[in-house]
Amino acid sequence: MNILDEIAAKTRERIAQEKRNVSPETMRREAEAALRHETEAAQCREAETALRRETEAAQRREAESILQWELAGAQKEVSSETGKACGVRLPFEAALAAEGISFICEVKKASPSKGIIAEEFPYLNIAKEYEAAGAAAISCLTEPYWFLGKDAYLQEIAAQVNIPVLRKDFTVDEYMIYQAKALGASAVLLICAILDDGQLKAYGQLAAELGMSALVEAHTEEEIARALAADARILGINNRNLKNFQVDITQSRRLRELVPDDVLFVSESGIKTPQDVAALRQNGTDAVLIGETLMRAPDKKVMLDMLRGNVV
Ligand SMILES: O=P(O)(O)OC[C@@H](O)[C@@H](O)c1c[nH]c2ccccc12
């Protein structure tokens, strides 16, 4: 059995245990409550801005009667607007789609290929430093055995930063998608090599129903085809072969042309230098996912600036 299959098997075991602690039904309800809460908050914000805008416009006309009339109109409009959030990009996807190459910065204590990466692991500070340094999103490992991750890291980080957080784990069960939502994640990882076509599609749909994006990870031509057939909107090429740990960044460059432009293209793993980033940017990469290089950097902002090519 290769390492990827080993981690996936252990993850199935772990989730079976977790289901005994919190039933799938309860987890589903928690996820749905998180979604409801978010929708309500968004509706409030929308209603507030709409009302403010209408009020300002009406004030300009300086007539009491017009103000009343406008406000009533605004209120009606807001309630019909809020239902049609569907065509809008979800937060993780929007962050990656922004102008220029986006950085997904990873919070990771250890990995199976590198062992312990960060002896000291002030995960919350690291996440806040990433945010302050201009990260588009954060990737947080929650796999406990090989990456020494924890659900609590994700939960705390998601609650304290204002950028979307990806739950970096080996999704092998829909339970994990409900969990991700309940923990505050904006996206989940779906690895083609450990999921069949039916799971890829169903898990992607479930994530979307819960208002989350799916980063669909592929390593080969065939996996790209499977990801696209499953309607992936964000496709990540892992430059590291999770079966033997070999890293080859040219993988992302070679496979770029197989992914249509309306699907966001992410390059993951082994990115270390401004030259790496520049080559990927030139190749039409929308976002890079960087872990080790940033985790080992004492100053995250300096390292991010350097990777962006802002510092000579
Ligand atoms: O630390 P790196 O080489 O920058 O890699 C980050 C990220 O791509 C890597 O952690 C990763 C990519 N795909 C994964 C799947 C599971 C766990 C981890 C990963």
Side-chain angles (χ1 to χ4, degrees):
M1 204 165 31
N2 66 51
I3 180 82
L4 183 56
D5 293 335
E6 228 179 280
I7 301 177
K10 183 73 181 174
T11 306
R12 271 182 222 106
E13 218 178 87
R14 175 183 125 218
I15 298 307
Q17 180 58 47
E18 289 183 12
K19 281 182 184 172
R20 285 193 279 273
N21 299 339
V22 180
S23 76
E25 184 48 33
T26 305
M27 191 53 78
R28 189 172 63 80
R29 264 189 267 118
E30 281 182 26
E32 285 166 359
L35 177 63
R36 234 182 356 260
H37 186 81
E38 245 172 46
T39 314
E40 281 162 11
Q43 281 172 342
C44 274
R45 276 196 305 275
E46 235 176 273
E48 272 166 23
T49 25
L51 274 174
R52 207 173 31 249
R53 240 183 271 130
E54 291 296 329
T55 310
E56 281 162 10
Q59 273 169 349
R60 247 175 274 129
R61 271 166 262 160
E62 283 177 359
E64 273 275 328
S65 59
I66 294 179
L67 174 64
Q68 293 298 331
W69 188 80
E70 289 282 340
L71 283 176
Q75 268 153 350
K76 247 182 266 145
E77 225 171 82
V78 168
S79 44
S80 68
E81 274 306 302
T82 38
K84 2 173 185 150
C86 305
V88 175
R89 283 189 199 262
L90 294 167
F92 184 77
E93 192 181 325
L96 272 48
E99 217 14 60
I101 197 161
S102 305
F103 286 78
I104 308 168
C105 302
E106 190 156 275
V107 178
K108 165 167 78 172
K109 182 171 175 62
S111 75
S113 56
K114 301 294 166 81
I116 303 268
I117 295 169
E119 208 50 76
E120 268 196 50
F121 187 58
Y123 54 91
L124 207 47
N125 287 345
I126 296 170
K128 286 180 181 170
E129 261 194 84
Y130 285 160
E131 181 179 31
I138 287 173
S139 161
C140 177
L141 262 300
T142 54
E143 196 289 324
Y145 300 106
W146 282 268
F147 293 86
L148 304 183
K150 271 188 194 168
D151 287 346
Y153 299 158
L154 169 65
Q155 191 166 31
E156 284 179 54
I157 290 171
Q160 297 213 29
V161 299
N162 289 310
I163 49 177
V165 184
L166 163 72
R167 182 190 194 187
K168 194 55 126 34
D169 209 319
F170 295 77
T171 310
V172 285
D173 192 309
E174 65 173 30
Y175 184 85
M176 297 175 79
I177 299 170
Y178 290 118
Q179 260 184 333
K181 183 68 188 185
L183 292 167
S186 296
V188 292
L189 178 70
L190 302 179
I191 302 176
C192 287
I194 55 172
L195 298 172
D196 63 33
D197 293 347
Q199 288 171 316
L200 271 183
K201 189 144 193 175
Y203 293 178
Q205 274 171 2
L206 177 58
E209 278 164 28
L210 292 170
M212 291 187 294
S213 296
L215 171 60
V216 183
E217 182 173 300
H219 189 70
T220 61
E221 283 89 336
E222 195 230 329
E223 287 178 0
I224 291 178
R226 291 183 52 222
L228 295 177
D231 299 325
R233 292 170 62 87
I234 310 175
L235 200 141
I237 297 297
N238 195 350
N239 300 311
R240 180 177 293 112
N241 183 337
L242 286 178
K243 295 176 183 175
N244 60 21
F245 294 147
Q246 266 173 21
V247 175
D248 177 8
I249 253 201
T250 62
Q251 192 77 356
S252 281
R253 290 187 237 157
R254 192 171 61 78
L255 297 173
R256 177 64 188 99
E257 63 185 40
L258 301 178
V259 180
D261 282 340
D262 61 343
V263 173
L264 290 166
F265 186 83
V266 183
S267 178
E268 313 172 14
S269 307
I271 298 162
K272 293 192 172 352
T273 66
Q275 289 76 19
D276 291 340
V277 176
L280 290 165
R281 182 194 285 134
Q282 262 181 12
N283 201 43
T285 299
D286 296 293
V288 286
L289 200 165
I290 306 182
E292 193 188 347
T293 304
L294 286 166
M295 284 301 304
R296 290 198 197 277
D299 187 324
K300 315 300 182 208
K301 170 135 180 44
V302 168
M303 181 52 89
L304 257 187
D305 281 346
M306 197 188 79
L307 289 168
R308 278 205 183 90
N310 291 347
V311 174
V312 205

